[in-house]
Amino acid sequence: WRLFPAAAEEAAAALARAVRYAGVGTVEFLYRDGRFYFLEMNPRLQVEHPVTEMITDVNLPLAMLLVGMGVPLHRVPDVRALHGAADPHGAG
């Protein structure tokens, strides 16, 4: 599923931390000639979210609801599976 540089993923996470955002949303970049450029941050689901769901196998509306209920994002089973957790439902 990794179609984008890890540095862009870290830049998106750093931006969310900088503005203390916790939730589901998108950070959009332009990628050209091996470099990425920030475009915008959208603190909501985008109309294109089914494409992300197909690529990552993460149910984004469910993740948004769970995070809104106080479940840390790293505890959401789909997110754990995306990042290679051996047991997506486990405590580790």
Side-chain angles (χ1 to χ4, degrees):
W1 69 270
R2 186 165 296 282
L3 304 174
F4 213 62
E9 182 179 333
E10 180 50 40
L15 174 59
R17 284 190 299 272
V19 298
R20 296 181 182 188
Y21 182 75
V24 175
T26 59
V27 177
E28 297 181 15
F29 297 96
L30 173 65
Y31 183 71
R32 183 175 178 176
D33 298 327
R35 296 181 58 138
F36 62 93
Y37 305 89
F38 172 77
L39 290 176
E40 64 180 339
M41 180 175 178
N42 299 298
R44 63 189 182 286
L45 285 177
Q46 295 293 95
V47 68
E48 304 90 346
H49 82 270
V51 175
T52 302
E53 290 180 326
M54 286 188 288
I55 292 169
T56 64
D57 204 27
V58 172
N59 181 332
L60 294 177
L62 177 60
M64 180 180 248
L65 288 171
L66 291 172
V67 169
M69 292 175 6
V71 176
L73 190 59
H74 69 275
R75 293 288 185 215
V76 175
D78 287 355
V79 174
R80 291 176 54 76
L82 175 68
H83 289 281
D87 178 8
H89 301 281

